[in-house]
Amino acid sequence: MTSVQQVSQLISEISAAAAEQSTGIQLVNSSVSQLDAATDFNTDLVGRSAAAAANLEQQAQRLAEVVARYRRGLTPADVALPAGTEDPVRATARQALNKARAAGGPAAPALAP
């Protein structure tokens, strides 16, 4: 084999290796793009879940106040809980959030005391 043939063969092998690397890089790039899209989607879901949890907490508190007034004909100040006592609705919400956190669920905002 002549030196020209050897150089030609080496160039062909280098070209084939470069094509394989290019294909591999494209696959990695595609995978990273998919991971990025999934991360963005999950971030959006976590944000929406946190907002929904906060909204639900406010609605539950308001509902408890309204029900208490209609049941007893009292104002919210009349049905205030003793100091250091947690509202049953808030306690239930707090327990559900703690259970979700313990199960590895998405982070949720802390409930105000």
Side-chain angles (χ1 to χ4, degrees):
M1 188 183 274
T2 67
S3 61
V4 172
Q5 288 174 330
Q6 289 176 340
V7 169
S8 177
Q9 184 178 357
L10 287 174
I11 290 173
S12 293
E13 291 174 5
I14 290 171
S15 177
E20 286 179 25
Q21 287 179 346
S22 177
T23 301
I25 290 171
Q26 288 173 354
L27 288 173
V28 168
N29 186 37
S30 175
S31 297
V32 169
S33 293
Q34 289 176 355
L35 285 171
D36 188 44
T39 300
D40 289 345
F41 181 76
N42 287 340
T43 300
D44 183 54
L45 286 180
V46 167
R48 288 178 188 222
S49 295
N55 187 24
L56 183 60
E57 178 186 4
Q58 291 172 352
Q59 289 177 7
Q61 180 64 35
R62 178 72 181 129
L63 179 61
E65 292 170 1
V66 170
V67 168
R69 277 189 294 188
Y70 282 111
R71 281 189 175 171
R72 298 181 186 97
L74 303 173
T75 66
D78 295 330
V79 294
L81 296 171
T85 304
E86 186 173 31
D87 180 82
V89 173
R90 293 177 66 75
T92 302
R94 187 179 314 282
Q95 289 171 356
L97 284 173
N98 289 339
K99 189 180 286 186
R101 286 183 186 127
L111 293 175

